Amino acid sequence: MDKELLKLEHINKSYDGKQVLEDLDLTIHENEFMTLLGPSGCGKTTTLRLIGGFELPDSGRILFDGQDITRLRPEKRPVNTVFQKYSLFSHMDAADNIAFGLKLKGKSKSYIRDKIKYALKLVNLDGYEHASVTQMSGGQQQRIAIARAIVNEPKVLLLDEPLSALDLKLRQSMQRELVKIKKELGITFVFVTHDQQEALSMSDTVVVMNQGWIQQIGTPESVYNEPENAFVADFIGDSNIIDGMMVRDKLVHLLGQDIPCINTGFGENVPVDVQIRPEDIQICEPANGQFRGVIRQVVFKGTVYDITIEAGGFRWLVQTITGHEQGREVGLRLAASNIQIMAKPASEDEEAATDE
Amino acid sequence: MDKELLKLEHINKSYDGKQVLEDLDLTIHENEFMTLLGPSGCGKTTTLRLIGGFELPDSGRILFDGQDITRLRPEKRPVNTVFQKYSLFSHMDAADNIAFGLKLKGKSKSYIRDKIKYALKLVNLDGYEHASVTQMSGGQQQRIAIARAIVNEPKVLLLDEPLSALDLKLRQSMQRELVKIKKELGITFVFVTHDQQEALSMSDTVVVMNQGWIQQIGTPESVYNEPENAFVADFIGDSNIIDGMMVRDKLVHLLGQDIPCINTGFGENVPVDVQIRPEDIQICEPANGQFRGVIRQVVFKGTVYDITIEAGGFRWLVQTITGHEQGREVGLRLAASNIQIMAKPASEDEEAATDE
Amino acid sequence: MMQKLKNTYLGLIVLFLYAPIGVLIAQSFNASRYRGQWTGFTWDWYVSLLGNEDIIEAFGNTLTIGLTSAALATVLALVTAIGLRRLGHRSRLLLRGMANVPLLNADIVTGISLMLLFLGLGLRLGYDTILMAHIVISLPYAMLCILPQVLALDNVCYEAALDLGATPFQAFRKVILPELVPGIMAAYLLSFAMSADDFIVTYFTKGAGIETLTTEIYAELKLGVHPEMYALSTLFFVAVIVFVALLLVNYRVISRYRQAGRRQRA
Amino acid sequence: MMQKLKNTYLGLIVLFLYAPIGVLIAQSFNASRYRGQWTGFTWDWYVSLLGNEDIIEAFGNTLTIGLTSAALATVLALVTAIGLRRLGHRSRLLLRGMANVPLLNADIVTGISLMLLFLGLGLRLGYDTILMAHIVISLPYAMLCILPQVLALDNVCYEAALDLGATPFQAFRKVILPELVPGIMAAYLLSFAMSADDFIVTYFTKGAGIETLTTEIYAELKLGVHPEMYALSTLFFVAVIVFVALLLVNYRVISRYRQAGRRQRA
C-alpha cells in the first residue's frame, strides 16, 4: 500500500448527547479505494463529513499529509465531495456547475473549458455542456456531480452514498464506471454505503462500522471470508451463526458434536461464535454427515436453491446449485477450512444485527 | 394440477391506440400460485385489472368456472385484489378496513368479529384491531390490505406488485409469509411482479410477458433452465446469449467451434440463440478448454466472483466460487447439458431486453 | 451576539405586524373618547355595544349570511372540483386559471360589477343580493381548498372499495367523501372568513336598510369618533384568533393525513 | 348525456364567476350614462378617463406605492424567512402562525388599527402612511410565498458550494439566492397586487388630498353615476388578467424546479 495520506486520531463526536463516533482511529492511504460500510446510524456519514469539514469533532485530530486540518474550513480543504443527491445547482447548466469551483479559484477561461471537456469525457457525458441539469436523469446528475468535484483536482474524493437514489441496473453500471474513473485519476476515494454488495465489489479496503465503532478493516475477501465478529458475519452476506465452544486448538464443540476446524489461539473451553456460509455446507447421505437433519423448505432463487435444514436443533440455511426434495432426511458436512471461529462480542455493539 | 378456474380467451386491449395486450390466452387453475412476470409496460398489470373487472377488454372473453364474467362489474366478481399501495382507507382503523366488505354484505356482528380476529392472526398482526392504519409501517399496511381482501373469501386473490414499495429485507420476509398464507387458505393467487427473484421463489407457475405477449409459461425451474427465447433468458438471471448455428441435432456451431449439446429438432444449419448461464461455465487450463481466452475483470460479489473473460470474440460472464487472477490466459469448458438452444425470435417483441 | 441580533429582528417584525392591533385594543379600553389621552381603564364601550340594537342586528346578518354563503360555496366548489377531475389536463388547467382570476381582482371592481349585474337583472338590493355576492367572492377560495385534495385523490381507494363489493355510490359516500373532510372543512371556514371580513362588496350590493358588522362599523365611524367601534373591532380580531385556532386544528388533521401518505410512499 | 350535463354545469360556474365583470365591461362601452338602456357602443368614457387629471394622479400613486411597498415587503419577508429557518421547530411554527393571523383579519379592522397607530405616533396621514400600511398588509402574503421555498432549501447545495471553495457569503449569493428567485418573484407580484387592489386600508390611512385608484373610483361613484368609473374598473380587470399571466409564467418556473426535484427523488 502507498504512503499514509489521511489520518483520523481518537475522534469523538456526539449529537444531542448521543455518541455517534467513539474514539475512532482510521488511516487512509494514497490511491486507496476505501469504503465505509454499515447500517444507517453507524457513523459512516459522520466520519465522511468530518473529513469534508462539515462537522467538527468533539475531540481528536484529523491529519492530512501530516498537517492538522481538524478545524480547517471546508472550502480550504484539499478534498471534494459527491453528495447523496440534490446537490447540483439547478439554475446553472452542466458546464456552469462543473466550472463553479474553478471560477472561484480564478482559473483562465481556456483552462476551464479544457477541464470541462475532459471531465465530461471522463464521466461519459461528452457534449452535454449546455444541458439543463434539471432535465437530466438521476444517473446523469450524479455523473455531473462527480465531474464537478474532480475538476478541482482533489487529493481525496469523498462519496456519500452517491448511488443510493439510482435503480439497480443503473447502480451496477455506475459502480463499474466509478472504479474505472478511480483508476484513471489515480487519487484516493472514500466511499460511504450501506450496501454490502457495493462495498465488496468496488473497494480495495472495506471498513465495517456499527454504532460508532469500527468492527473490522480489511480487503473485501478477508471481511467476507474471515469476519472478526458476529456483526460483520451477519451484515455481510447470509450466514449461519451458532453458539459454540472451543474445546482446544482446531476443535470446536458445536450443537453436540466435536467438529475439526483450523483456528487456533482461542484457549480451551472458551465460548465462541461459529460462522458457516450457506454455500460452504455439503448435503450428503444421512449416514455420512456430521449432522443429521430434515429438509424443511426449498426455494428456487435462480442461480441457487435456498434450502432450510433442521439439524442438531438449529435451522441451517444451505445454498446449493442443484435442487433437493422437501421432507427428505439428509446429512450435513462441514470442511474444516470453511468454519470461521469468532470471539464472543466484548460489548453489545458487536452483536449480530437483528432483522427489523 | 387441479381443474381450470379462470380462463382468458383471445383478449385484446389498447389504450390511446397503443396495443397493450394482443390476443392473450391464459388459463389459471384452482389452488395455483401464478405469477405474471415482466418489465413495466408488458401488460401484466392490465391483465390483472381485466380479471378484477377494473378494465374491459376490447375483444375476447373471460370465463370464471365456465361462466362468462367479461362485463361483470368489479363488485360482483368472486375475486379480491391487493393493490400496490395507498389502498387502505385512512379514516378507518385496521378492523374497520377489514370489515368493510363484510359490512356491505350484511354479515352479523359476531361473524365479522371472528373473521377480523382470524384474518389478523393469519397476517401476523394479532391485536392490531384498533391501530390507526396511517400510523402503520408499509409492511403492516400491506398485511392489513391482504387481510381485508381475504375475509371476503374470494376464489382468486389478485396481487398487484404488493411488495414493491417495501425494502429488501422486509420484502423477502413478506414473500415467505405470502406463500404460507396461500398454503393455509388453499385458494388461487395471481401475483404480478417485475422482480424475477420474487417470481421464481414464490410461484407454482411463472408467466413471462413482454410487450403484450406471453413469452413463456412454466414452472420456475423450467423458465430459468430452459428459456424458450432470448428475452426470457435475458430477463431472468444473468446470461451469456450468443448467436449460433445448429449444425445438426446435438451439435451447435458457436464462435467458430462445433460444440456438442443435447437439443434436437431444430433442423440442420439453422441460426439459433445459444444461452449459457454464467455459473455453468468451467474455467480450466487453456489447453483443455473448448475456448481459449483472457480474464479481463474479476469482481468479488460475496458468495461468488463475477469474472469477465474475453474468448472467441465474445465477453463471457462467468461466475465461480473461487477467485481468479486478472490477465491470466484460461480455457472455458461447457457441458453439453448446460447449453440451452433457443429459436431466433419470430418478431421483435421477443428480442432480448436491452439495458436501459 | 449574532443570535441576539436575529431575535431582536424577529421581535421587531412581530411588533410591526401586531402594533396596530395593540393600539386598537388599548383604545377600546380607554375611558376617554379621544385618542392620545389615557384616562383610565373601562368596560363601558363593550357594555354599550351590547345595548346597541343596530349592532346586534348587523351581527346577526353577518352570521347568517356567512354561514349560508359558506355552505353554498363549499358545495358548489366540491361538485365543480369533482367535475374538473374527469377533464383532460389542458382544459382543467384553463378552468383552474379562470377560477383564480377573481381571487386577484380588486374587491371594489367585483363589488361594482355585482351591483351592476344585480341592478341589470332587476333585483332589489338587500339581504339576498349580499348572500349571492358573498357566494361569488367565496367560491374561488373554496375551490382553492378543495381542488388540490380532489385532484390528489387516488383512484386506488375507490377501486379498492368496488373490489370489496361497494357500488360506485357507496364507494363515493363511504370512502371518497371521508377522505375529503379536511379540505371541505378548510373550504367552509375560509369561505365564512371571506364573507364575514368583506366590506366593499357588501357595501355595493347591500342596498339601504341592511348592515353587516363591517358596514356598520364603517357607517358609525363616518359619523364621528365612536369608541364602541374600537371595541367591536377588537372583538372582531379576537374572533379571528379563535378562527385561526380552528383552522390550525383542521390543518393538523390535513397534515397528519399527508404525513401518513408520505410514509406510505417512503 | 352525463358528459353534456357536466359541461353545462361547468359552463354555468364560469358564467356565475364572470357574469358580473361582463356586465361591467358592457356598461363601460354603453353610450348611455344609464344602466338598462343600451344606446350604442362608445369609446367616450375611456377617452374622458385619459383627460381626467385626478385619475392620472391616482394611477401614479397606486403604481409608485405598489412598487415600493412590494419591494420593501419582499425584502423583509426574505430576511425573516432566513431568520426563521435557523429557529427550532416549535418557535418556527409559532411565528409562522403569528404571521398568518393578519391574513385573515378583516381589512376594515386592520385599516382602523393602522389609522389609530399612525395618529397615536403623531404622524400626518398621507402618502407615507399609505406606504407603511401597504407594507404591513403585504408582508404576510410575501412570507407565504417565500417561506416554504426557504424552508425547503436543502443544505446540501450550500455545503456543495463550500466544498467547491466558496466562502459562506459567496455560497449564499451564487447558489442560495438564485434558487429562491421564483419565490421572490411570486412574493413581489402578490405584494404588488395586494397594494394595488386595496381599498379600505388605504381609505383609513390616506388622509385628505391624496387618492389611489380604488379610493378615487369610490369617491367618484359616491358623487353619482360615472361611466368613466366603469371604464376604469374594466381597465383594472384587464390589468389583473395580465398580472395573472405573469404569475402563471412564474408558476411554471417554480413547478419546473419542483418537478426536477421530484425526478431527483424518484
Side-chain angles (χ1 to χ4, degrees), chain C residues 9 18 76 80 98 104 197 199-200 203 218 237, chain D residues 9 18 76 80 98 101 104 197 199-200 203 218:
Chain C
Y9 174 80
Y18 282 83
L76 282 176
T80 309
M98 289 189 77
L104 280 175
D197 285 4
F199 162 73
I200 195 81
Y203 181 84
Y218 178 80
F237 176 72
Chain D
Y9 174 79
Y18 282 84
L76 282 176
T80 309
M98 288 188 78
V101 171
L104 280 175
D197 286 3
F199 161 72
I200 194 80
Y203 181 84
Y218 178 81

PDB file of all heavy atoms in Angstrom, chain C residues 9 18 76 80 98 104 197 199-200 203 218 237, chain D residues 9 18 76 80 98 101 104 197 199-200 203 218:
ATOM      1  N   TYR C   9     -34.497  41.175  15.605  1.00  0.00           N
ATOM      2  CA  TYR C   9     -35.117  41.413  14.311  1.00  0.00           C
ATOM      3  C   TYR C   9     -36.485  40.737  14.227  1.00  0.00           C
ATOM      4  O   TYR C   9     -37.483  41.345  13.841  1.00  0.00           O
ATOM      5  CB  TYR C   9     -34.202  40.896  13.193  1.00  0.00           C
ATOM      6  CG  TYR C   9     -34.852  40.970  11.840  1.00  0.00           C
ATOM      7  CD1 TYR C   9     -34.898  42.175  11.146  1.00  0.00           C
ATOM      8  CD2 TYR C   9     -35.452  39.849  11.272  1.00  0.00           C
ATOM      9  CE1 TYR C   9     -35.527  42.258   9.914  1.00  0.00           C
ATOM     10  CE2 TYR C   9     -36.077  39.918  10.042  1.00  0.00           C
ATOM     11  CZ  TYR C   9     -36.114  41.124   9.371  1.00  0.00           C
ATOM     12  OH  TYR C   9     -36.739  41.205   8.162  1.00  0.00           O
ATOM     13  N   TYR C  18     -48.127  43.494  14.722  1.00  0.00           N
ATOM     14  CA  TYR C  18     -49.154  43.481  15.765  1.00  0.00           C
ATOM     15  C   TYR C  18     -49.365  44.809  16.481  1.00  0.00           C
ATOM     16  O   TYR C  18     -50.333  44.970  17.205  1.00  0.00           O
ATOM     17  CB  TYR C  18     -48.874  42.369  16.787  1.00  0.00           C
ATOM     18  CG  TYR C  18     -49.281  41.027  16.253  1.00  0.00           C
ATOM     19  CD1 TYR C  18     -48.449  40.295  15.425  1.00  0.00           C
ATOM     20  CD2 TYR C  18     -50.535  40.504  16.539  1.00  0.00           C
ATOM     21  CE1 TYR C  18     -48.832  39.080  14.904  1.00  0.00           C
ATOM     22  CE2 TYR C  18     -50.938  39.291  16.034  1.00  0.00           C
ATOM     23  CZ  TYR C  18     -50.079  38.579  15.210  1.00  0.00           C
ATOM     24  OH  TYR C  18     -50.483  37.376  14.707  1.00  0.00           O
ATOM     25  N   LEU C  76     -70.840  24.012  -4.002  1.00  0.00           N
ATOM     26  CA  LEU C  76     -70.537  24.290  -5.405  1.00  0.00           C
ATOM     27  C   LEU C  76     -69.084  23.935  -5.730  1.00  0.00           C
ATOM     28  O   LEU C  76     -68.792  23.345  -6.777  1.00  0.00           O
ATOM     29  CB  LEU C  76     -70.773  25.774  -5.722  1.00  0.00           C
ATOM     30  CG  LEU C  76     -72.223  26.202  -5.933  1.00  0.00           C
ATOM     31  CD1 LEU C  76     -72.302  27.707  -6.137  1.00  0.00           C
ATOM     32  CD2 LEU C  76     -72.812  25.480  -7.141  1.00  0.00           C
ATOM     33  N   THR C  80     -67.875  21.146  -8.409  1.00  0.00           N
ATOM     34  CA  THR C  80     -67.033  21.617  -9.507  1.00  0.00           C
ATOM     35  C   THR C  80     -65.697  20.868  -9.537  1.00  0.00           C
ATOM     36  O   THR C  80     -65.220  20.446 -10.591  1.00  0.00           O
ATOM     37  CB  THR C  80     -66.757  23.123  -9.365  1.00  0.00           C
ATOM     38  OG1 THR C  80     -67.996  23.798  -9.177  1.00  0.00           O
ATOM     39  CG2 THR C  80     -66.072  23.665 -10.605  1.00  0.00           C
ATOM     40  N   MET C  98     -59.039  30.163 -14.674  1.00  0.00           N
ATOM     41  CA  MET C  98     -60.195  31.054 -14.699  1.00  0.00           C
ATOM     42  C   MET C  98     -60.791  31.229 -13.312  1.00  0.00           C
ATOM     43  O   MET C  98     -61.288  32.300 -12.958  1.00  0.00           O
ATOM     44  CB  MET C  98     -61.250  30.510 -15.653  1.00  0.00           C
ATOM     45  CG  MET C  98     -60.830  30.625 -17.103  1.00  0.00           C
ATOM     46  SD  MET C  98     -62.150  30.220 -18.249  1.00  0.00           S
ATOM     47  CE  MET C  98     -63.145  31.703 -18.176  1.00  0.00           C
ATOM     48  N   LEU C 104     -57.760  37.551  -7.526  1.00  0.00           N
ATOM     49  CA  LEU C 104     -56.819  38.666  -7.568  1.00  0.00           C
ATOM     50  C   LEU C 104     -57.507  39.986  -7.872  1.00  0.00           C
ATOM     51  O   LEU C 104     -56.964  41.047  -7.601  1.00  0.00           O
ATOM     52  CB  LEU C 104     -55.775  38.402  -8.665  1.00  0.00           C
ATOM     53  CG  LEU C 104     -54.661  37.464  -8.273  1.00  0.00           C
ATOM     54  CD1 LEU C 104     -53.766  37.189  -9.455  1.00  0.00           C
ATOM     55  CD2 LEU C 104     -53.845  38.089  -7.139  1.00  0.00           C
ATOM     56  N   ASP C 197     -65.443  38.993   6.713  1.00  0.00           N
ATOM     57  CA  ASP C 197     -64.458  40.074   6.650  1.00  0.00           C
ATOM     58  C   ASP C 197     -64.785  41.133   5.615  1.00  0.00           C
ATOM     59  O   ASP C 197     -64.251  42.231   5.654  1.00  0.00           O
ATOM     60  CB  ASP C 197     -63.074  39.502   6.270  1.00  0.00           C
ATOM     61  CG  ASP C 197     -62.438  38.778   7.424  1.00  0.00           C
ATOM     62  OD1 ASP C 197     -63.097  38.664   8.475  1.00  0.00           O
ATOM     63  OD2 ASP C 197     -61.291  38.336   7.286  1.00  0.00           O
ATOM     64  N   PHE C 199     -65.951  44.027   3.333  1.00  0.00           N
ATOM     65  CA  PHE C 199     -66.644  45.304   3.474  1.00  0.00           C
ATOM     66  C   PHE C 199     -67.136  45.835   2.128  1.00  0.00           C
ATOM     67  O   PHE C 199     -68.319  46.118   1.946  1.00  0.00           O
ATOM     68  CB  PHE C 199     -65.734  46.359   4.130  1.00  0.00           C
ATOM     69  CG  PHE C 199     -66.218  47.752   3.901  1.00  0.00           C
ATOM     70  CD1 PHE C 199     -67.353  48.228   4.569  1.00  0.00           C
ATOM     71  CD2 PHE C 199     -65.584  48.595   2.991  1.00  0.00           C
ATOM     72  CE1 PHE C 199     -67.835  49.512   4.345  1.00  0.00           C
ATOM     73  CE2 PHE C 199     -66.061  49.876   2.766  1.00  0.00           C
ATOM     74  CZ  PHE C 199     -67.187  50.335   3.444  1.00  0.00           C
ATOM     75  N   ILE C 200     -66.244  45.946   1.157  1.00  0.00           N
ATOM     76  CA  ILE C 200     -66.548  46.754  -0.018  1.00  0.00           C
ATOM     77  C   ILE C 200     -67.592  46.106  -0.922  1.00  0.00           C
ATOM     78  O   ILE C 200     -68.484  46.762  -1.453  1.00  0.00           O
ATOM     79  CB  ILE C 200     -65.238  47.101  -0.787  1.00  0.00           C
ATOM     80  CG1 ILE C 200     -65.479  48.231  -1.805  1.00  0.00           C
ATOM     81  CG2 ILE C 200     -64.651  45.917  -1.488  1.00  0.00           C
ATOM     82  CD1 ILE C 200     -65.468  49.581  -1.162  1.00  0.00           C
ATOM     83  N   TYR C 203     -70.806  46.548   0.749  1.00  0.00           N
ATOM     84  CA  TYR C 203     -71.217  47.945   0.668  1.00  0.00           C
ATOM     85  C   TYR C 203     -71.927  48.234  -0.646  1.00  0.00           C
ATOM     86  O   TYR C 203     -72.955  48.913  -0.670  1.00  0.00           O
ATOM     87  CB  TYR C 203     -69.970  48.824   0.794  1.00  0.00           C
ATOM     88  CG  TYR C 203     -70.242  50.304   0.756  1.00  0.00           C
ATOM     89  CD1 TYR C 203     -70.621  50.983   1.921  1.00  0.00           C
ATOM     90  CD2 TYR C 203     -70.142  51.025  -0.416  1.00  0.00           C
ATOM     91  CE1 TYR C 203     -70.881  52.342   1.898  1.00  0.00           C
ATOM     92  CE2 TYR C 203     -70.401  52.383  -0.459  1.00  0.00           C
ATOM     93  CZ  TYR C 203     -70.765  53.042   0.712  1.00  0.00           C
ATOM     94  OH  TYR C 203     -71.022  54.374   0.683  1.00  0.00           O
ATOM     95  N   TYR C 218     -68.147  50.915   9.569  1.00  0.00           N
ATOM     96  CA  TYR C 218     -67.786  51.984   8.647  1.00  0.00           C
ATOM     97  C   TYR C 218     -68.757  53.148   8.783  1.00  0.00           C
ATOM     98  O   TYR C 218     -68.350  54.305   8.907  1.00  0.00           O
ATOM     99  CB  TYR C 218     -67.794  51.434   7.226  1.00  0.00           C
ATOM    100  CG  TYR C 218     -67.488  52.449   6.167  1.00  0.00           C
ATOM    101  CD1 TYR C 218     -66.177  52.828   5.901  1.00  0.00           C
ATOM    102  CD2 TYR C 218     -68.515  53.050   5.446  1.00  0.00           C
ATOM    103  CE1 TYR C 218     -65.885  53.759   4.935  1.00  0.00           C
ATOM    104  CE2 TYR C 218     -68.239  53.993   4.476  1.00  0.00           C
ATOM    105  CZ  TYR C 218     -66.925  54.348   4.225  1.00  0.00           C
ATOM    106  OH  TYR C 218     -66.652  55.281   3.261  1.00  0.00           O
ATOM    107  N   PHE C 237     -61.273  41.023  16.003  1.00  0.00           N
ATOM    108  CA  PHE C 237     -59.924  40.461  15.992  1.00  0.00           C
ATOM    109  C   PHE C 237     -59.847  39.189  16.829  1.00  0.00           C
ATOM    110  O   PHE C 237     -59.247  38.188  16.427  1.00  0.00           O
ATOM    111  CB  PHE C 237     -58.920  41.495  16.505  1.00  0.00           C
ATOM    112  CG  PHE C 237     -57.526  40.943  16.610  1.00  0.00           C
ATOM    113  CD1 PHE C 237     -56.778  40.690  15.470  1.00  0.00           C
ATOM    114  CD2 PHE C 237     -56.966  40.663  17.849  1.00  0.00           C
ATOM    115  CE1 PHE C 237     -55.503  40.179  15.563  1.00  0.00           C
ATOM    116  CE2 PHE C 237     -55.687  40.140  17.945  1.00  0.00           C
ATOM    117  CZ  PHE C 237     -54.953  39.905  16.798  1.00  0.00           C
TER     118      PHE C 237
ATOM    119  N   TYR D   9     -72.819  22.272 -16.477  1.00  0.00           N
ATOM    120  CA  TYR D   9     -72.603  22.712 -15.105  1.00  0.00           C
ATOM    121  C   TYR D   9     -71.345  23.565 -14.995  1.00  0.00           C
ATOM    122  O   TYR D   9     -71.353  24.649 -14.415  1.00  0.00           O
ATOM    123  CB  TYR D   9     -72.494  21.493 -14.193  1.00  0.00           C
ATOM    124  CG  TYR D   9     -72.117  21.858 -12.789  1.00  0.00           C
ATOM    125  CD1 TYR D   9     -73.067  22.353 -11.905  1.00  0.00           C
ATOM    126  CD2 TYR D   9     -70.800  21.748 -12.358  1.00  0.00           C
ATOM    127  CE1 TYR D   9     -72.712  22.725 -10.627  1.00  0.00           C
ATOM    128  CE2 TYR D   9     -70.437  22.120 -11.085  1.00  0.00           C
ATOM    129  CZ  TYR D   9     -71.398  22.601 -10.220  1.00  0.00           C
ATOM    130  OH  TYR D   9     -71.038  22.972  -8.958  1.00  0.00           O
ATOM    131  N   TYR D  18     -68.059  35.021 -13.931  1.00  0.00           N
ATOM    132  CA  TYR D  18     -67.650  36.072 -14.855  1.00  0.00           C
ATOM    133  C   TYR D  18     -68.774  36.996 -15.322  1.00  0.00           C
ATOM    134  O   TYR D  18     -68.512  38.038 -15.915  1.00  0.00           O
ATOM    135  CB  TYR D  18     -66.928  35.463 -16.066  1.00  0.00           C
ATOM    136  CG  TYR D  18     -65.518  35.092 -15.740  1.00  0.00           C
ATOM    137  CD1 TYR D  18     -65.209  33.882 -15.132  1.00  0.00           C
ATOM    138  CD2 TYR D  18     -64.488  35.995 -15.966  1.00  0.00           C
ATOM    139  CE1 TYR D  18     -63.909  33.559 -14.784  1.00  0.00           C
ATOM    140  CE2 TYR D  18     -63.187  35.684 -15.634  1.00  0.00           C
ATOM    141  CZ  TYR D  18     -62.902  34.461 -15.045  1.00  0.00           C
ATOM    142  OH  TYR D  18     -61.627  34.162 -14.702  1.00  0.00           O
ATOM    143  N   LEU D  76     -38.169  42.334   3.452  1.00  0.00           N
ATOM    144  CA  LEU D  76     -38.438  41.972   4.851  1.00  0.00           C
ATOM    145  C   LEU D  76     -38.806  40.496   4.965  1.00  0.00           C
ATOM    146  O   LEU D  76     -38.343  39.792   5.868  1.00  0.00           O
ATOM    147  CB  LEU D  76     -39.580  42.825   5.417  1.00  0.00           C
ATOM    148  CG  LEU D  76     -39.223  44.253   5.824  1.00  0.00           C
ATOM    149  CD1 LEU D  76     -40.478  45.008   6.262  1.00  0.00           C
ATOM    150  CD2 LEU D  76     -38.207  44.234   6.975  1.00  0.00           C
ATOM    151  N   THR D  80     -36.714  37.697   7.016  1.00  0.00           N
ATOM    152  CA  THR D  80     -37.426  36.997   8.091  1.00  0.00           C
ATOM    153  C   THR D  80     -37.424  35.492   7.862  1.00  0.00           C
ATOM    154  O   THR D  80     -37.202  34.705   8.785  1.00  0.00           O
ATOM    155  CB  THR D  80     -38.877  37.495   8.170  1.00  0.00           C
ATOM    156  OG1 THR D  80     -38.881  38.917   8.215  1.00  0.00           O
ATOM    157  CG2 THR D  80     -39.566  36.943   9.410  1.00  0.00           C
ATOM    158  N   MET D  98     -48.254  33.257  13.771  1.00  0.00           N
ATOM    159  CA  MET D  98     -48.462  34.674  14.070  1.00  0.00           C
ATOM    160  C   MET D  98     -48.450  35.510  12.789  1.00  0.00           C
ATOM    161  O   MET D  98     -49.181  36.486  12.676  1.00  0.00           O
ATOM    162  CB  MET D  98     -47.380  35.178  15.016  1.00  0.00           C
ATOM    163  CG  MET D  98     -47.550  34.639  16.418  1.00  0.00           C
ATOM    164  SD  MET D  98     -46.429  35.416  17.591  1.00  0.00           S
ATOM    165  CE  MET D  98     -47.253  36.971  17.863  1.00  0.00           C
ATOM    166  N   VAL D 101     -52.014  35.295  11.059  1.00  0.00           N
ATOM    167  CA  VAL D 101     -53.217  35.908  11.634  1.00  0.00           C
ATOM    168  C   VAL D 101     -53.654  37.149  10.848  1.00  0.00           C
ATOM    169  O   VAL D 101     -54.826  37.257  10.476  1.00  0.00           O
ATOM    170  CB  VAL D 101     -53.006  36.235  13.132  1.00  0.00           C
ATOM    171  CG1 VAL D 101     -54.169  37.072  13.658  1.00  0.00           C
ATOM    172  CG2 VAL D 101     -52.862  34.962  13.926  1.00  0.00           C
ATOM    173  N   LEU D 104     -55.985  36.829   7.844  1.00  0.00           N
ATOM    174  CA  LEU D 104     -57.404  36.538   7.982  1.00  0.00           C
ATOM    175  C   LEU D 104     -58.180  37.703   8.558  1.00  0.00           C
ATOM    176  O   LEU D 104     -59.391  37.778   8.420  1.00  0.00           O
ATOM    177  CB  LEU D 104     -57.593  35.326   8.903  1.00  0.00           C
ATOM    178  CG  LEU D 104     -57.372  33.981   8.244  1.00  0.00           C
ATOM    179  CD1 LEU D 104     -57.456  32.892   9.281  1.00  0.00           C
ATOM    180  CD2 LEU D 104     -58.404  33.768   7.146  1.00  0.00           C
ATOM    181  N   ASP D 197     -54.840  46.492  -5.144  1.00  0.00           N
ATOM    182  CA  ASP D 197     -56.253  46.151  -5.003  1.00  0.00           C
ATOM    183  C   ASP D 197     -56.901  46.769  -3.777  1.00  0.00           C
ATOM    184  O   ASP D 197     -58.118  46.832  -3.673  1.00  0.00           O
ATOM    185  CB  ASP D 197     -56.410  44.624  -4.864  1.00  0.00           C
ATOM    186  CG  ASP D 197     -56.199  43.917  -6.177  1.00  0.00           C
ATOM    187  OD1 ASP D 197     -55.873  44.607  -7.155  1.00  0.00           O
ATOM    188  OD2 ASP D 197     -56.349  42.696  -6.209  1.00  0.00           O
ATOM    189  N   PHE D 199     -58.632  48.766  -0.932  1.00  0.00           N
ATOM    190  CA  PHE D 199     -59.404  49.992  -0.792  1.00  0.00           C
ATOM    191  C   PHE D 199     -59.502  50.447   0.670  1.00  0.00           C
ATOM    192  O   PHE D 199     -59.149  51.559   1.018  1.00  0.00           O
ATOM    193  CB  PHE D 199     -60.815  49.819  -1.353  1.00  0.00           C
ATOM    194  CG  PHE D 199     -61.768  50.860  -0.851  1.00  0.00           C
ATOM    195  CD1 PHE D 199     -61.683  52.176  -1.305  1.00  0.00           C
ATOM    196  CD2 PHE D 199     -62.722  50.561   0.121  1.00  0.00           C
ATOM    197  CE1 PHE D 199     -62.540  53.154  -0.831  1.00  0.00           C
ATOM    198  CE2 PHE D 199     -63.568  51.542   0.607  1.00  0.00           C
ATOM    199  CZ  PHE D 199     -63.482  52.842   0.130  1.00  0.00           C
ATOM    200  N   ILE D 200     -59.933  49.565   1.536  1.00  0.00           N
ATOM    201  CA  ILE D 200     -60.373  50.022   2.848  1.00  0.00           C
ATOM    202  C   ILE D 200     -59.212  50.480   3.728  1.00  0.00           C
ATOM    203  O   ILE D 200     -59.304  51.467   4.443  1.00  0.00           O
ATOM    204  CB  ILE D 200     -61.238  48.935   3.556  1.00  0.00           C
ATOM    205  CG1 ILE D 200     -61.983  49.507   4.750  1.00  0.00           C
ATOM    206  CG2 ILE D 200     -60.427  47.749   3.976  1.00  0.00           C
ATOM    207  CD1 ILE D 200     -63.224  50.264   4.351  1.00  0.00           C
ATOM    208  N   TYR D 203     -58.174  53.739   2.484  1.00  0.00           N
ATOM    209  CA  TYR D 203     -59.187  54.732   2.834  1.00  0.00           C
ATOM    210  C   TYR D 203     -58.965  55.277   4.245  1.00  0.00           C
ATOM    211  O   TYR D 203     -59.054  56.468   4.482  1.00  0.00           O
ATOM    212  CB  TYR D 203     -60.569  54.092   2.722  1.00  0.00           C
ATOM    213  CG  TYR D 203     -61.701  55.021   3.022  1.00  0.00           C
ATOM    214  CD1 TYR D 203     -62.220  55.865   2.043  1.00  0.00           C
ATOM    215  CD2 TYR D 203     -62.263  55.078   4.297  1.00  0.00           C
ATOM    216  CE1 TYR D 203     -63.260  56.725   2.316  1.00  0.00           C
ATOM    217  CE2 TYR D 203     -63.301  55.931   4.588  1.00  0.00           C
ATOM    218  CZ  TYR D 203     -63.807  56.756   3.593  1.00  0.00           C
ATOM    219  OH  TYR D 203     -64.832  57.604   3.869  1.00  0.00           O
ATOM    220  N   TYR D 218     -64.119  54.950  -5.739  1.00  0.00           N
ATOM    221  CA  TYR D 218     -65.140  55.002  -4.693  1.00  0.00           C
ATOM    222  C   TYR D 218     -65.687  56.416  -4.538  1.00  0.00           C
ATOM    223  O   TYR D 218     -66.911  56.636  -4.506  1.00  0.00           O
ATOM    224  CB  TYR D 218     -64.521  54.509  -3.385  1.00  0.00           C
ATOM    225  CG  TYR D 218     -65.448  54.556  -2.211  1.00  0.00           C
ATOM    226  CD1 TYR D 218     -66.388  53.542  -2.021  1.00  0.00           C
ATOM    227  CD2 TYR D 218     -65.403  55.599  -1.294  1.00  0.00           C
ATOM    228  CE1 TYR D 218     -67.248  53.577  -0.946  1.00  0.00           C
ATOM    229  CE2 TYR D 218     -66.257  55.635  -0.221  1.00  0.00           C
ATOM    230  CZ  TYR D 218     -67.178  54.623  -0.043  1.00  0.00           C
ATOM    231  OH  TYR D 218     -68.029  54.663   1.021  1.00  0.00           O
TER     232      TYR D 218
END
